[in-house]
């Protein structure tokens, strides 16, 4: 089997790439540039602005709206047609804007690349554009730079590279040039490779380019982003479903009325065409897309105040359907910074918060003095493990800077990845000689220690002492804590020359060790518990090691403390056939040491189970999965631009708890859209049934102006106001709706049907009573009164029915009945506009209505009130039946 670059020796690597340590000649660079292309990331070919705009009109609901506008135009209502056209155009413009935003993901990847690099060519060091690097180029690196391409390291000096954005590793990785033997290693374990767009935090290096552009690891992610199609949201599925249903309804009703009318010779072809148009206008809830958009937009405003920024409107509703939250660990569940958690001192292991910090404590002195981190106005800077040591002391209100001034550094032996130690020589303020403080890996430090500081006394380090120390180290390791050991010794800098590990780091006095971890965010555990009570399962998907991931997952109760089967690694995932993974995916809650392609595979496997998946992440490596998931959640503070632009929602506070608040808001938004749809469609069904039966019975029917006025006044205002209803009390105790659930689930369709029938029946009943008990003798006036009373009843029914729609199954007679000011004022405004057509004589002719006497108004009021009473009785019966199940 062909060896991979991390397995090759330096000479084998140079030979494979046909290069030398002096670099490539200019002629060879030109050849390879022509062969491999520029070192840049390719982006998808984007549609033009015009193409994007016209693509918005391929939506079925938009087509229905255009048909409705044409119908309204034929019906003689120019203003209604103009309004519908405006809604269509605004919807298209908004869609183009959102699509343009989504294209930023690849562009953000391109912006991350280094503009120039230092390379060796023809034996000379020169600066070239990073885009002109080719395989075989020798690149020089130092702290603070971004790796410009994928490299096989040839030389390293104390090199550490921060790879969290690519691998998920929470701390910088020590790198070396030595060849590795194992063929299949995760990216984060290939310690002799450096990857494009990762950051050098410490040391220097020289490496040879092994891949450029789209062939790099980050390039593969860019390719995955180009190929990954954004998931169709539940909202889009529901709107498509609703559009098809309405299309069939509109065409069927209009055609049926027209055919029956002509067949029965009910009227002329032109009159029957106008009647059919009126019915079609009544059947189409013209304001539905606008109401859905407004409800979603208002939801985004609420979420923004709660630190959840929505990039795509459908994401609001998608959150409400979330059944799985697949979360990255580093920076999302954890704080993405190391923290001292346990301290071993005087043969005891204690919690860091219980440890007393003292200036004369050699352990504290070693933590602060054997440390290269710096205190700046912006905070601590340096290696995360070193800044954690300083932060621990600062949190104890210890004067770190004073100690450094007292023990001034005289010399140092830098850390290197082979001996895994670093030492500093400081002036002992109590003596003419110096003190040497050493920190590093326990196994290396123990080998160099001959004594131990035990309760203030220095004595020989015994085998029993070593056993206790190693047992404590094992205990810390099982908790996935990163362990650093500390020692010191009196030292004479003048006598020890040259200063080196061999001459200085010997016969040390062991003083203790600390256990550190990237700790969980304090609010996350409660948020995960709340998600669980809402029927939402939280997963951890991370590039970090199995033990670290398991420890954090157990602390957060993502998995049970004794559960070892709920964790799987990326390597183990590779061994599973696709069918086996799909079958067993629900077995695991923690996925450790995974690569970007694993994350996409995991998300897709859960989606195949019919689950709505939310994926959180902050790194470049998360971007493909963020785009694949039903809803991608990026981190606003620690997140890369790539992750943000691939997301549907961004957490501006990087707070996992914000996701749960957003889920709650998403559920409220969906419930409110359901309420609006139930209200609108039951009202429109009532109108259609009324018109249809009036036609079949030979009664006078509503004029197009009356139908449009009812649609505009009693449909639009209350329906929009229902979109801002507050969440019902038990909204986060309900199970998430299934991905196949639609707006008509949970009894909405049956409610629409019986409530529409009820509206039509009550309206026709009032018309019939008006005919039976007239107040005029003229047939024309009797029918005019009857039509006016039916018109008033239908309007009143819909206004009162808006109150019914505030809760699908719950009673409206609670203290929350009037808790929505927008709704209250919408009912007042709609009532004024509705009944002004009858009560103000100047409008009577325009709307073809008559003035009613109080007895007729009483009949109208009773007809309207019956709607409220009957629906409440039905809901009471539903609740009683549900309780007895």
């Amino acid at each position: 089997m062909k060896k991979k670059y991390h397995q090759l020796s330096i000479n084998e690597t140079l030979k494979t790439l046909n290069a030398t340590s002096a670099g490539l000649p200019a002629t060879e660079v030109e050849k390879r540039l022509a062969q491999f292309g520029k070192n840049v990331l390719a982006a998808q070919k984007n549609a033009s602005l015009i193409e994007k705009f016209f693509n918005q009109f391929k939506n079925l609901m938009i087509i229905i709206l255009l048909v409705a506008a044409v119908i309204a135009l034929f019906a003689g209502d120019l203003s209604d047609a103009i309004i519908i056209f405006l809604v269509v155009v605004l919807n298209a413009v908004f869609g183009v804007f959102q699509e343009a935003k989504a294209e930023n993901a690849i562009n953000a990847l391109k912006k991350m690349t280094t503009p120039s690099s230092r390379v060796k060519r023809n034996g000379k060091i020169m600066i070239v554009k990073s885009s002109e690097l080719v395989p075989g180029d020798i690149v020089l690196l130092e702290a603070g730079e971004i790796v410009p391409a994928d490299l096989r390291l040839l030389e390293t000096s104390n090199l550490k590279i921060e790879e969290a954005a690519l691998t998920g590793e929470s701390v910088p990785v020590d790198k070396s040039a030595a060849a590795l033997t194992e063929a299949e290693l995760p990216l984060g374990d290939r310690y002799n490779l450096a990857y494009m767009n990762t950051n050098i935090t410490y040391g220097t290096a020289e490496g040879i380019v092994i891949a450029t552009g789209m062939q790099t690891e980050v390039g593969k992610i860019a390719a995955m982003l180009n190929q990954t199609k954004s998931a169709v949201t539940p909202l889009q599925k529901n709107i498509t479903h609703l559009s098809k249903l309405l299309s069939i309804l509109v065409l069927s009703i209009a055609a049926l009325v027209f055919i029956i009318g002509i067949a029965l010779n009910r009227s002329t072809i032109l009159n029957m065409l106008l009647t059919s148009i009126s019915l079609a206008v009544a059947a189409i809830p013209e304001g539905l897309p606008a109401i859905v958009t407004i409800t979603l937009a208002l939801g985004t405003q609420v979420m923004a105040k709660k630190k959840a920024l929505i990039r795509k409107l459908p994401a609001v509703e998608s959150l409400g359907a979330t059944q799985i939250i697949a979360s990255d660990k580093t920076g999302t569940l954890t704080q993405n910074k190391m923290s001292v958690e346990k301290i071993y001192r005087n043969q005891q292991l204690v919690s860091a918060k219980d440890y007393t910090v003292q200036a004369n404590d050699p352990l504290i002195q070693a933590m602060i003095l054997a440390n290269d981190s710096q205190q700046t106005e912006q905070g601590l800077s340096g290696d995360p493990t070193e800044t954690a040591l300083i932060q621990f002391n600062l949190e104890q209100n210890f004067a770190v800077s004073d100690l450094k001034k007292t023990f001034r550094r005289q010399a140092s032996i830098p850390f290197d990845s082979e001996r895994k130690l670093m030492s500093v020589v400081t002036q002992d303020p109590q003596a003419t000689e110096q003190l040497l403080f050493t920190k590093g890996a326990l196994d290396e430090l123990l080998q160099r220690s001959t004594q131990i500081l035990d309760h203030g006394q220095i004595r020989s380090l015994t085998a029993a002492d070593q056993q206790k120390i190693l047992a404590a180290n094992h205990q810390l390791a099982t908790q996935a804590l990163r362990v650093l050991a500390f020692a010191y010794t009196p030292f004479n800098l003048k006598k020890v020359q040259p200063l080196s590990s061999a001459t200085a780091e010997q016969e040390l006095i062991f003083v203790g060790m600390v256990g550190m971890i990237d700790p969980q965010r304090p609010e996350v555990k409660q948020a995960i518990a709340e998600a669980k009570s809402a029927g939402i399962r939280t997963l951890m998907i991370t590039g970090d090691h199995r033990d670290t991931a398991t420890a954090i997952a157990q602390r957060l109760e993502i998995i049970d403390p004794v559960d070892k089967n709920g964790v799987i690694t990326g390597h183990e995932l590779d061994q599973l056939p696709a069918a086996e993974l799909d079958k067993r995916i629900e077995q695991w809650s923690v996925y450790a040491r995974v690569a970007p392609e694993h994350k996409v595979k995991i998300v897709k496997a859960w989606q195949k189970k019919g689950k709505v998946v939310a994926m959180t992440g902050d790194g470049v490596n998360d971007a493909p999965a963020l785009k694949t998931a039903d809803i991608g959640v990026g981190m606003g503070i620690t997140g890369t631009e790539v992750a943000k632009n691939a997301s549907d929602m961004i957490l501006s506070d990087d707070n996992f708890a914000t996701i749960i608040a957003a889920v709650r808001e998403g559920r409220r938004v969906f419930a409110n859209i359901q309420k609006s749809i139930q209200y609108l469609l039951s009202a429109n069904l009532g109108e259609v049934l009324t018109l249809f039966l009036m036609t079949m019975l030979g009664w006078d029917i509503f004029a197009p102006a009356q139908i449009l006025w009812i649609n505009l006044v009693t449909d639009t205002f209350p329906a929009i106001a229902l979109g801002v209803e507050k969440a019902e009390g038990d909204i986060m105790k309900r199970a998430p709706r299934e991905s196949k659930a639609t707006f008509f689930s949970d009894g909405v369709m049956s409610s629409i049907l019986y409530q529409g029938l009820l509206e039509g029946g009550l309206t026709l009943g009032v018309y019939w009573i008006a005919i039976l008990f007239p107040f005029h003798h003229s047939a024309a006036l009797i029918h005019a009164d009857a039509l006016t009373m039916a018109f008033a009843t239908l309007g009143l029914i819909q206004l009162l029915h808006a109150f019914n729609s505030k809760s699908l199954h719950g009673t409206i007679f609670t203290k929350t009945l009037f808790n929505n000011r927008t709704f209250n004022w919408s009912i007042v405004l709609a009532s004024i506009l509705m009944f002004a057509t009858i009560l103000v004589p100047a409008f009577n002719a325009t709307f073809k209505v008559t003035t009613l006497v109080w007895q007729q108004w009483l009949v109208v009021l009773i007809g309207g009130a019956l709607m409220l009473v009957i629906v409440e009785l039905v809901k009471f019966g539903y609740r009683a039946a549900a309780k007895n199940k």
Side-chain angles (χ1 to χ4, degrees):
M1 186 173 68
K2 185 179 177 182
K3 287 186 177 180
K4 298 184 179 181
Y5 279 109
H6 65 269
Q7 293 179 280
L8 299 180
S9 67
I10 292 172
N11 288 333
E12 286 174 328
T13 303
L14 291 170
K15 186 178 179 181
T16 301
L17 291 166
N18 194 21
T20 69
S21 57
L24 299 171
T27 52
E28 185 62 24
V29 170
E30 289 179 11
K31 286 180 185 176
R32 296 191 185 193
L33 198 58
Q35 179 184 353
F36 296 102
K38 289 202 169 186
N39 181 33
V40 295
L41 300 176
Q44 279 179 311
K45 183 183 177 183
N46 297 323
S48 68
L49 201 63
I50 297 296
E51 287 175 321
K52 289 176 188 172
F53 181 77
F54 282 106
N55 283 340
Q56 305 302 315
F57 291 88
K58 294 178 181 178
N59 182 287
L60 188 56
M61 179 57 89
I62 298 300
I63 294 170
I64 292 174
L65 275 176
L66 290 172
V67 172
V70 172
I71 291 172
L73 193 63
F74 275 110
D77 197 300
L78 182 63
S79 62
D80 201 65
I82 291 172
I83 289 170
I84 295 172
F85 276 122
L86 282 174
V87 169
V88 170
V89 172
L90 286 172
N91 188 76
V93 170
F94 186 80
V96 170
F97 177 72
Q98 291 298 320
E99 193 176 324
K101 269 188 167 185
E103 289 170 358
N104 289 334
I106 297 298
N107 294 333
L109 272 171
K110 294 172 73 176
K111 288 178 184 176
M112 288 177 64
T113 54
T114 310
S116 60
S117 302
R118 288 182 302 133
V119 300
K120 271 188 191 177
R121 285 181 179 171
N122 278 331
K124 296 179 181 178
I125 296 175
M126 59 182 68
I127 296 176
V128 301
K129 290 181 179 179
S130 294
S131 60
E132 295 177 359
L133 289 178
V134 296
D137 261 328
I138 306 296
V139 179
L140 306 178
L141 302 168
E142 63 183 28
E145 292 182 339
I146 297 174
V147 180
D150 283 3
L151 310 175
R152 167 65 167 89
L153 297 171
L154 305 178
E155 293 180 17
T156 63
S157 176
N158 305 321
L159 182 66
K160 291 188 178 186
I161 300 181
E162 195 270 308
E163 298 177 338
L166 183 66
T167 67
E169 182 72 57
S170 55
V171 295
V173 179
D174 296 323
K175 295 287 186 175
S176 69
L180 302 171
T181 56
E182 195 172 338
E184 298 301 326
L185 285 175
L187 294 183
D189 290 341
R190 298 176 190 179
Y191 300 122
N192 55 12
L193 301 186
Y195 304 110
M196 186 180 191
N197 288 347
T198 56
N199 302 304
I200 299 173
T201 61
Y202 199 84
T204 60
E206 187 175 296
I208 185 169
V209 176
I210 58 175
T212 59
M214 297 301 286
Q215 299 307 309
T216 63
E217 294 300 329
V218 76
K220 293 172 186 177
I221 292 175
M224 290 169 71
L225 280 172
N226 281 336
Q227 296 164 8
T228 302
K229 294 182 179 179
S230 296
V232 178
T233 69
L235 176 67
Q236 291 165 327
K237 293 174 185 174
N238 283 323
I239 288 293
T240 301
H241 178 78
L242 183 57
S243 299
K244 290 177 181 177
L245 188 70
L246 291 177
S247 298
I248 295 168
L249 181 67
V250 170
L251 294 174
S252 300
I253 291 173
L256 186 63
V257 169
F258 181 78
I259 292 169
I260 292 175
I262 296 298
L264 297 178
N265 199 25
R266 188 70 72 183
S267 185
T268 64
I269 292 178
L270 180 60
N271 285 337
M272 285 313 304
L273 181 61
L274 289 173
T275 299
S276 299
I277 289 171
S278 299
L279 277 170
V281 171
I284 299 174
E286 299 94 330
L288 181 57
I291 287 166
V292 170
T293 301
I294 290 168
T295 303
L296 291 171
L298 291 172
T300 65
Q301 291 179 17
V302 173
M303 288 185 176
K305 291 175 183 176
K306 295 179 180 178
K307 309 297 184 182
L309 309 177
I310 301 298
R311 294 185 66 252
K312 301 171 186 176
L313 276 186
V316 181
E317 178 271 337
S318 300
L319 271 167
T322 301
Q323 296 162 296
I324 301 291
I325 298 178
S327 176
D328 182 43
K329 179 187 76 68
T330 306
T332 308
L333 296 175
T334 63
Q335 299 175 33
N336 198 21
K337 63 179 182 180
M338 299 302 288
S339 175
V340 176
E341 186 161 296
K342 294 287 179 69
I343 294 178
Y344 180 81
R345 179 80 161 86
N346 295 324
Q347 302 187 62
Q348 289 184 326
L349 194 58
V350 298
S351 173
K353 64 182 179 182
D354 297 327
Y355 191 80
T356 303
V357 174
Q358 295 177 334
N360 62 353
D361 183 347
L363 176 59
I364 296 300
Q365 292 171 354
M367 289 168 68
I368 295 172
L369 300 173
N371 197 311
D372 288 328
S373 62
Q374 299 293 320
Q375 289 178 269
T376 67
E377 292 181 0
Q378 289 74 37
L380 293 170
S381 65
D383 184 271
T385 56
E386 293 194 327
T387 58
L389 297 173
I390 300 297
Q391 185 63 38
F392 164 73
N393 286 281
L394 291 174
E395 288 173 355
Q396 306 298 319
N397 297 316
F398 185 74
V400 171
S401 57
D402 289 349
L403 186 73
K404 286 185 175 182
K405 289 175 184 177
T406 303
F407 291 83
R408 293 191 177 277
R409 184 182 291 196
Q410 306 296 308
S412 66
I413 308 172
F415 174 90
D416 71 55
S417 56
E418 290 184 11
R419 81 182 204 286
K420 297 179 181 177
L421 298 172
M422 76 91 67
S423 295
V424 296
V425 180
T426 67
Q427 183 62 49
D428 184 350
Q430 308 297 325
T432 57
E433 292 186 338
Q434 292 85 30
L435 290 172
L436 179 132
F437 291 98
T438 302
K439 81 164 188 297
L442 177 66
D443 55 347
E444 295 290 337
L445 191 134
L446 269 182
Q447 289 178 24
R448 292 164 169 80
S449 298
T450 57
Q451 295 176 289
I452 185 171
L453 183 66
D454 185 5
H455 292 88
Q457 301 297 315
I458 299 173
R459 59 176 177 79
S460 296
L461 182 68
T462 65
D465 292 327
Q466 290 193 8
Q467 288 300 317
K468 285 184 179 179
I469 293 168
L470 291 172
N473 177 61
H474 177 73
Q475 188 176 341
L476 294 173
T478 57
Q479 298 173 44
L481 298 180
R482 184 184 179 94
V483 178
L484 277 180
F486 298 85
Y488 83 108
T489 188
F491 197 75
N492 191 321
L493 187 58
K494 290 181 181 179
K495 293 182 180 179
V496 183
Q497 293 295 335
L499 185 67
S500 68
S501 176
T503 60
E505 294 172 341
Q506 305 297 328
E507 297 184 359
L508 302 175
I509 303 167
F510 181 86
V511 293
M513 55 188 175
V514 301
M516 292 180 286
I517 198 169
D518 178 11
Q520 69 266 30
R521 291 176 174 274
E523 69 284 343
V524 167
K525 187 173 181 179
Q526 176 58 36
I528 290 173
E530 187 177 354
K532 189 175 181 180
S533 70
I536 301 168
R537 182 171 176 178
T538 303
L539 311 176
M540 179 194 290
I541 304 181
T542 177
D544 222 332
H545 292 280
R546 183 186 193 120
D547 289 345
T548 306
T550 302
I552 293 293
Q554 288 174 341
R555 293 181 183 202
L556 295 174
E557 296 182 2
I558 292 174
I559 58 174
D560 191 272
V562 297
D563 182 14
K564 299 296 182 183
N565 297 321
V567 184
I568 189 171
T569 64
H571 179 69
E572 291 168 336
L573 281 173
D574 286 332
Q575 310 306 311
L576 280 178
E580 186 71 11
L581 174 63
D582 293 342
K583 181 181 178 182
R584 298 176 57 194
I585 191 67
E586 293 176 305
Q587 177 180 329
W588 304 291
S589 295
V590 177
Y591 305 83
R593 216 60 179 153
V594 294
E597 59 269 20
H598 292 135
K599 295 185 179 186
V600 174
K601 191 185 293 186
I602 292 163
V603 170
K604 286 184 175 179
W606 278 101
Q607 288 173 329
K608 286 177 184 176
K609 290 288 185 182
K611 304 296 184 182
V612 177
V613 181
M615 167 75 190
T616 74
D618 60 352
V620 175
N621 62 325
D622 296 320
L626 288 170
K627 197 172 179 183
T628 302
D630 296 286
I631 175 163
V633 184
M635 301 294 118
I637 298 173
T638 59
T640 60
E641 287 303 309
V642 181
K644 292 177 189 176
N645 287 319
S647 300
D648 303 291
M649 181 180 85
I650 297 170
L651 306 181
S652 63
D653 60 355
D654 283 16
N655 189 335
F656 186 88
T658 302
I659 301 172
I660 307 306
V663 168
R664 187 185 299 109
E665 182 62 20
R667 290 189 175 191
R668 184 189 72 85
V669 166
F670 184 84
N672 287 350
I673 291 175
Q674 269 193 320
K675 292 170 186 178
S676 295
I677 287 176
Q678 178 199 337
Y679 172 70
L680 279 173
L681 295 188
S682 58
N684 284 15
L685 179 59
E687 293 170 17
V688 168
L689 286 173
T690 302
L691 283 165
F692 180 75
L693 291 173
M694 280 179 166
T695 302
M696 296 301 100
L697 293 170
W699 294 355
D700 290 346
I701 63 171
F702 296 134
Q706 291 175 323
I707 299 168
L708 291 171
W709 190 250
I710 289 177
N711 275 350
L712 178 66
V713 174
T714 65
D715 284 7
T716 307
F717 296 124
I720 291 174
L722 283 170
V724 294
E725 278 290 302
K726 294 180 180 179
E728 294 180 54
D730 64 342
I731 200 161
M732 285 301 282
K733 292 194 170 95
R734 304 171 189 169
R737 64 184 185 277
E738 296 295 325
S739 59
K740 294 180 181 179
T742 70
F743 286 124
F744 301 112
S745 301
D746 197 28
V748 172
M749 176 57 83
S750 58
S751 296
I752 289 170
L753 292 174
Y754 93 79
Q755 289 165 10
L757 288 167
L758 186 58
E759 281 194 30
L762 289 171
T763 303
L764 291 170
V766 168
Y767 186 101
W768 181 65
I769 289 171
I771 296 293
L772 285 181
F773 305 100
F775 279 79
H776 296 92
H777 299 292
S778 162
L781 286 175
I782 291 171
H783 282 281
D785 280 353
L787 197 59
T788 300
M789 289 172 67
F791 172 68
T793 301
L794 186 58
L796 180 61
I797 282 173
Q798 293 191 7
L799 291 173
L800 293 176
H801 183 45
F803 283 96
N804 278 330
S805 302
K806 283 169 73 76
S807 178
L808 182 59
H809 299 303
T811 179
I812 62 168
F813 295 114
T814 65
K815 61 182 180 181
T816 61
L817 180 59
F818 298 107
N819 67 345
N820 183 348
R821 283 189 183 180
T822 305
F823 180 85
N824 298 339
W825 282 111
S826 74
I827 295 297
V828 171
L829 177 61
S831 298
I832 291 170
L833 292 173
M834 178 66 206
F835 296 113
T837 59
I838 301 171
L839 297 173
V840 179
F843 295 145
N844 290 171
T846 305
F847 290 95
K848 299 180 175 62
V849 295
T850 59
T851 303
L852 302 178
V853 297
W854 71 266
Q855 293 93 333
Q856 291 172 314
W857 277 115
L858 182 60
V859 174
V860 169
L861 288 171
I862 292 171
L866 281 173
M867 182 70 189
L868 199 65
V869 172
I870 294 170
V871 171
E872 273 296 306
L873 289 172
V874 172
K875 288 198 286 187
F876 175 79
Y878 175 88
R879 292 194 301 274
K883 195 173 182 180
N884 291 328
K885 279 185 179 180

